């Protein structure tokens, strides 16, 4: 029997990787549960409030995006807009060229993964170095992140030690502390040599133009201390209306992502660095990127635009834990990715239209979501869309013969009576592959087809079976 | 049509068919974002110490304690920001004191003492600004960073700190030492920023 693509991938996963993904995800879920429980008891009121603020924001995106543009401009930030992947890359390249920047340091940003920015910049002769430890390892391995918060969840220390040895960062040493120190020494030279920093943003406040960036390692801070130009690539949905809303989101983001009360470095930027200070960018650019988000806003899955990229849904997801992030064949894995990736794919929906099927609809993703996105509902809507677009559905038996039977009463009756032949046939001789596959793990009950009709036809006339 | 116009027209087209748009929820920040243990917790100063220590940071009773600990922990040189230049004697008793931080000092100066613009008790967070920090690198590149907290600037909650954002283009909240768990989920401190983060009150 044909399997879904995600199952096929999961079946070939290295058992060690599967174990690492499973235990690390489970630990993430546990830490989230502990801290939210200890601090808020029932976190639902806070989650639902955050969801309501974001839903309000995306449903008023016309107003808030315009307001954010005004506020950022008033803060001295140059605001750019990019519709597609190509537009976003080009916008970054144009800014770098206009400001004479040749060397770039990057702080982890999922949107830059979406547009494959590093490859593009390197093709144009620029150096672009990832500075988040995990992302740096992904970059030197020419790999892709398998988790939006923990990009190298699929790698172990031995893999990393080999990569560092290959890159000339010292002899083979798989001690995590040594690995981290070597990255520290290497990357701080990169920060100081670089001309520009490319970052994402966790939030942009429409009323103040304040941009929020969070990291645990301090890499975005170092990017913004070493360079003279700051370019922030930001999805148009990243807005929140007011500064005060940050209290709601910051109280949820780190707890949901890593089980921390706050991420170590939480930066609030409203423009270039103070000119009287020696370090920090002299100019700041914001590129607001659509890349499928506006189409998502127009769809019946717009709630996914509430997402604040904490990764809690993938940590808790039984499918993610078995399959790992790369099984989703896209930038965003897990339940979030099963909705967002096909949506952002736009015209190429069909290529990822199978992802919404990779779920048992258990609802755990919705329960942990800090912005209460009804992910199972959205998965169902996308399954429906895939069906309406006649996408092939491996693993689902063809329904046409059943449809024929079910719409022709005569055929149905005949089939019901003939079905008894199944009881008389050795099951392993029935030449239907899907049935054989099914029978490997299940037994077929005795045939009872037609019994109801027979009873209905011969039931006692009305009233006769009643006792006085 | 410009990219900007395309995006705004697309958004309008997406939102116009909505029968109604979700309202902004009415909420009270303190009532929704205060951890349930906070009302019964210690006073702000005690709480800040507890929470800072809980994040892997260090709290010192006095500048002299801090200086002695820096030496014991392995630091040899320390940069003192101008606002704390008057503490030079305490630090000079244990370490080489540097009065200026320059870019080429990144790998040379072991420790830095700068002054925070505020601190948050509930999370053990120090608040730094561009105005208050002579150089962003000074509070980031050394292995040891001490953020001195003036007592009156301490607030209790994250919500209060947000309500009182200083007018500064670069505010950073620092909650403990720089850390990562990227390699097999093992916690390592001191990735790009300080491996040791500490504070004392003035």
């Amino acid at each position: 029997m044909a399997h879904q693509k995600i199952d096929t991938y999961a079946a070939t996963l290295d058992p060690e990787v599967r174990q690492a993904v499973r235990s690390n995800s489970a630990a993430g879920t546990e830490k989230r549960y502990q801290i939210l429980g200890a601090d808020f008891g029932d976190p639902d009121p806070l989650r639902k409030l955050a969801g309501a603020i974001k839903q309000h924001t995306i449903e008023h995106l016309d107003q808030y995006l315009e307001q954010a543009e005004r506020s950022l401009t008033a803060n001295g930030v140059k605001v750019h807009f990019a519709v597609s992947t190509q537009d976003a890359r080009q916008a970054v390249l144009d800014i770098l060229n206009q400001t004479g920047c040749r060397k770039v340091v990057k702080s982890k940003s999922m949107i830059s993964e979406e547009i494959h920015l590093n490859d593009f910049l390197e093709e144009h002769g620029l150096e672009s170095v990832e500075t988040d430890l995990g992302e740096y390892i992904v970059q030197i391995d020419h790999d892709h992140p398998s988790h939006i918060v923990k990009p190298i969840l699929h790698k172990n220390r031995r893999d990393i030690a080999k990569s560092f040895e290959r890159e000339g960062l010292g002899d083979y040493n798989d001690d995590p502390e040594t690995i981290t120190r070597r990255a520290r020494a290497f990357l701080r030279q990169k920060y100081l040599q670089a001309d520009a920093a490319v970052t994402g943003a966790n939030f942009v406040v429409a009323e103040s133009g304040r941009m929020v960036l969070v990291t645990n390692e301090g890499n975005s801070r170092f990017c913004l201390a070493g360079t003279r130009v700051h370019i922030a690539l930001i999805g148009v949905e990243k807005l929140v209306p007011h500064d005060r809303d940050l209290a709601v989101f910051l109280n949820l983001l780190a707890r949901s992502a890593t089980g921390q009360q706050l991420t170590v470095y939480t930066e609030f930027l409203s423009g270039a660095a103070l000119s009287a200070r020696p370090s920090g960018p002299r100019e700041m650019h914001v590129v607001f990127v659509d890349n499928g988000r506006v189409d998502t806003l127009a769809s019946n899955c717009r709630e996914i635009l509430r997402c604040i990229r904490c990764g809690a849904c993938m940590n808790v997801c039984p499918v993610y834990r078995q399959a790992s992030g790369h099984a989703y064949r896209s930038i965003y894995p897990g339940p979030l990715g099963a909705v967002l990736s096909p949506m952002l794919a736009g015209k190429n929906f069909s290529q990822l239209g199978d992802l919404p099927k990779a779920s048992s609809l258990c609802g755990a993703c919705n329960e942990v979501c800090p912005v209460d996105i009804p992910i199972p509902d959205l998965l169902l809507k996308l399954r429906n869309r895939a069906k309406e677009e006649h996408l092939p559905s491996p693993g689902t038996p063809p329904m046409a013969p059943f449809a024929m039977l079910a719409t022709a009463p005569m055929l149905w009756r005949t089939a019901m009576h003939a079905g008894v032949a199944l009881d008389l046939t050795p099951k392993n001789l029935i030449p239907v592959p899907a049935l054989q596959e099914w029978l490997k793990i299940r037994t077929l009950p005795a045939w009872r087809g037609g019994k109801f009709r027979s009873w209905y036809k011969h039931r006692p006339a009305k009233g006769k079976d009643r006792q006085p | 049509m410009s990219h900007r116009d395309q995006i705004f027209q697309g958004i309008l087209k997406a939102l116009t068919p909505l029968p109604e748009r979700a309202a902004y929820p009415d909420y009270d920040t303190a009532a929704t974002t205060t951890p349930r243990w906070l009302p019964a917790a210690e006073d702000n100063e005690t709480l800040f110490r507890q929470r800072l220590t809980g994040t892997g940071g260090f709290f010192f009773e006095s500048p002299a304690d801090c200086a002695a600990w820096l030496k014991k922990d392995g630091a040899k040189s320390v940069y003192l920001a101008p606002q704390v230049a008057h503490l030079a004697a305490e630090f000079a008793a244990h370490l080489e004191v540097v009065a200026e931080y320059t870019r080429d000092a990144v790998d040379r100066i072991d420790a830095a003492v700068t002054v925070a613009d505020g601190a948050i008790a509930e999370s053990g967070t120090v608040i730094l600004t561009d105005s208050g920090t002579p150089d962003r690198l000074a509070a980031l590149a050394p292995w040891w960073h001490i953020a001195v907290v003036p007592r009156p600037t301490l607030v209790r909650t994250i919500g209060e700190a947000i309500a009182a954002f200083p007018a500064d283009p670069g505010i950073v909240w620092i909650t403990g030492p720089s850390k990562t768990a990227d390699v097999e989920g093992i916690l390592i401190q001191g990735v790009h920023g300080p491996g040791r983060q500490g504070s004392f009150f003035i």
Side-chain angles (χ1 to χ4, degrees):
Chain A
M1 185 167 71
H3 286 287
Q4 288 188 42
K5 287 181 186 168
I6 203 163
D7 293 331
T8 309
Y9 184 93
T12 61
L13 199 61
D14 179 342
E16 212 173 299
V17 173
R18 192 198 316 279
Q19 182 54 38
V21 169
R22 192 192 303 186
S23 60
N24 208 317
S25 312
T29 298
E30 180 62 21
K31 279 193 261 180
R32 173 204 166 273
Y33 177 78
Q34 293 293 345
I35 191 168
L36 278 170
D39 290 354
F40 296 108
D42 175 11
D44 280 1
L46 192 56
R47 292 191 314 118
K48 288 182 192 299
L49 172 63
I53 295 171
K54 279 301 264 189
Q55 190 67 23
H56 163 80
T57 311
I58 61 169
E59 290 188 10
H60 294 78
L61 197 56
D62 47 345
Q63 297 163 29
Y64 286 125
L65 189 58
E66 203 161 25
Q67 191 186 12
E69 182 190 20
R70 276 199 308 274
S71 308
L72 285 161
T73 308
N75 290 343
V77 178
K78 293 188 183 117
V79 182
H80 313 254
F81 290 88
V83 174
S84 66
T85 291
Q86 289 74 15
D87 300 337
R89 292 168 175 172
Q90 195 60 43
V92 175
L93 184 63
D94 289 347
I95 297 166
L96 292 171
N97 284 337
Q98 282 155 19
T99 50
C101 295
R102 305 305 298 164
K103 292 185 173 182
V104 175
V105 277
K106 275 196 64 244
S107 180
K108 184 173 161 46
S109 140
M110 292 312 295
I111 204 161
S112 71
E113 295 286 340
E114 260 178 60
I115 65 170
H116 302 289
L117 184 65
N118 289 333
D119 295 345
F120 178 79
L121 293 181
E122 275 164 24
E123 279 163 27
H124 286 79
L126 285 88
E127 181 185 273
S128 178
V129 180
E130 290 288 349
T131 59
D132 173 86
L133 177 60
E135 290 284 341
Y136 173 68
I137 292 162
V138 161
Q139 186 182 24
I140 60 177
D141 284 353
H142 305 285
D143 198 354
H144 299 284
S146 69
H147 188 287
I148 62 169
V149 175
K150 296 171 267 193
I152 52 166
L153 200 57
H154 61 291
K155 290 184 193 288
N156 62 38
R157 61 177 85 188
R158 295 180 298 286
D159 300 333
I160 301 164
K162 280 181 219 150
S163 304
F164 271 39
E165 189 181 23
R166 187 190 65 225
E167 295 295 314
L169 293 176
D171 296 337
Y172 179 94
N173 187 321
D174 62 11
D175 166 41
E177 181 125 16
T178 306
I179 288 170
T180 309
R181 294 292 161 265
R182 285 176 176 177
R184 175 183 174 98
F186 176 77
L187 288 169
R188 60 177 44 205
Q189 296 314 315
K190 292 292 175 190
Y191 296 121
L192 296 173
Q193 291 159 3
D195 307 300
V198 174
T199 71
N202 294 86
F203 306 100
V204 176
V205 181
E207 73 172 357
S208 62
R210 206 181 294 281
M211 210 171 99
V212 184
L213 266 172
V214 307
T215 72
N216 269 322
E217 299 182 1
N219 54 312
S220 96
R221 187 69 185 159
F222 225 132
C223 287
L224 300 180
T227 58
R228 59 184 168 86
V229 175
H230 177 196
I231 304 170
L233 280 166
I234 305 175
V236 291
E237 84 285 16
K238 286 279 173 187
L239 305 179
V240 296
H242 310 292
D243 276 341
R244 70 183 292 244
D245 300 325
L246 294 175
V248 174
F249 292 102
L250 290 176
N251 267 301
L252 280 164
L253 178 59
R255 285 183 173 97
S256 302
T258 51
Q260 293 166 282
Q261 187 177 10
L262 283 174
T263 310
V264 177
Y265 293 87
T266 308
E267 290 174 89
F268 304 91
L269 305 164
S270 40
L274 205 61
S275 57
R277 294 288 173 256
S279 298
R282 305 293 106 174
E283 57 182 281
M284 188 194 281
H285 297 260
V286 162
V287 182
F288 279 121
V289 182
D290 168 0
N291 208 27
R293 287 160 174 78
V294 173
D295 286 342
T296 307
L297 184 66
S299 76
N300 60 359
C301 291
R302 67 178 66 83
E303 290 89 345
I304 201 68
L305 296 177
R306 291 183 204 164
C307 176
I308 59 171
R309 309 283 190 269
C310 70
C313 63
M314 46 206 79
N315 286 342
V316 81
C317 177
V319 177
Y320 178 90
R321 287 182 185 182
Q322 286 295 319
S324 103
H326 289 165
Y328 293 79
R329 318 193 306 284
S330 50
I331 302 304
Y332 300 100
L336 154 69
V339 178
L340 190 61
S341 298
M343 290 306 302
L344 294 185
K347 289 192 201 97
N348 297 323
F349 175 82
S350 63
Q351 290 174 16
L352 297 172
D354 59 300
L355 292 179
K357 294 192 72 181
S359 167
S360 63
L361 301 176
C362 71
C365 47
N366 178 212
E367 280 175 23
V368 300
C369 177
V371 282
D372 196 29
I373 300 172
I375 295 176
D377 296 350
L378 303 184
L379 291 170
L380 283 174
K381 287 177 184 175
L382 288 177
R383 288 183 186 184
N384 194 41
R385 178 174 162 191
K387 192 168 179 304
E388 280 168 0
E389 295 186 13
H390 303 292
L391 300 191
S393 182
T396 305
M399 297 305 280
F402 175 79
M404 192 173 74
L405 282 176
T407 48
M410 179 84 95
L411 278 176
W412 181 265
R413 276 198 295 276
T414 312
M416 284 299 114
H417 289 299
V420 75
L422 273 178
D423 290 345
L424 309 170
T425 314
K427 304 288 183 293
N428 56 1
L429 295 182
I430 302 172
V432 179
L435 182 69
Q436 288 306 324
E437 198 72 27
W438 200 81
L439 287 169
K440 277 185 193 165
I441 47 170
R442 297 171 184 90
T443 51
L444 205 58
W447 185 263
R448 298 179 63 186
K451 290 270 181 1
F452 174 76
R453 281 170 182 276
S454 169
W455 167 81
Y456 191 77
K457 199 171 168 186
H458 300 111
R459 76 193 192 285
K462 200 178 176 184
K464 282 196 177 167
D465 56 343
R466 289 189 190 148
Q467 298 299 317
Chain B
M1 202 182 351
S2 72
H3 292 152
R4 184 191 181 280
D5 292 348
Q6 275 188 61
I7 290 175
F8 275 96
Q9 284 192 15
I11 292 172
L12 268 183
K13 208 174 144 199
L15 295 176
T16 308
L18 292 185
E20 56 180 334
R21 302 195 192 181
Y24 182 75
D26 180 32
Y27 71 95
D28 178 77
T29 305
T32 43
T33 63
T34 304
R36 57 181 179 171
W37 48 262
L38 193 61
E42 311 280 346
D43 63 278
N44 284 353
E45 286 185 19
T46 316
L47 183 58
F48 174 78
R49 294 171 56 157
Q50 288 170 351
R51 303 299 286 178
L52 171 63
T53 314
T55 63
F58 295 84
F59 185 85
F60 308 102
E61 294 300 334
S62 68
D65 278 0
C66 176
W69 174 81
L70 283 174
K71 186 186 181 189
K72 200 175 142 213
D73 205 41
K76 292 191 169 54
S77 54
V78 63
Y79 161 76
L80 296 187
Q83 307 100 307
V84 283
H86 61 282
L87 302 176
E90 271 105 329
F91 285 89
H94 302 281
L95 306 145
E96 177 205 344
V97 173
V98 184
E100 204 178 352
Y101 196 91
T102 52
R103 214 173 160 92
D104 59 2
V106 161
D107 288 327
R108 210 178 59 236
I109 299 176
D110 299 328
V113 182
T114 69
V115 177
D117 282 64
I120 307 169
E122 72 157 313
S123 52
T125 301
V126 289
I127 302 171
L128 270 53
T129 62
D130 276 356
S131 330
T133 311
D135 190 323
R136 287 186 182 185
L137 285 170
L140 185 66
W143 182 253
W144 292 266
H145 175 231
I146 309 300
V148 180
V149 178
R151 283 194 173 85
T153 66
L154 182 60
V155 298
R156 194 158 181 82
T157 66
I158 290 166
E160 285 166 41
I162 286 171
F165 268 143
D168 193 287
I171 304 167
V172 57
W173 291 1
I174 302 173
T175 309
S178 156
K179 56 184 73 147
T180 186
D182 274 348
V183 181
E184 296 186 3
I186 297 160
L187 182 73
I188 305 286
Q189 297 188 343
V191 192
H192 305 283
R196 303 279 184 272
Q197 181 71 40
S199 281
F200 58 82
F201 290 131
I202 50 171

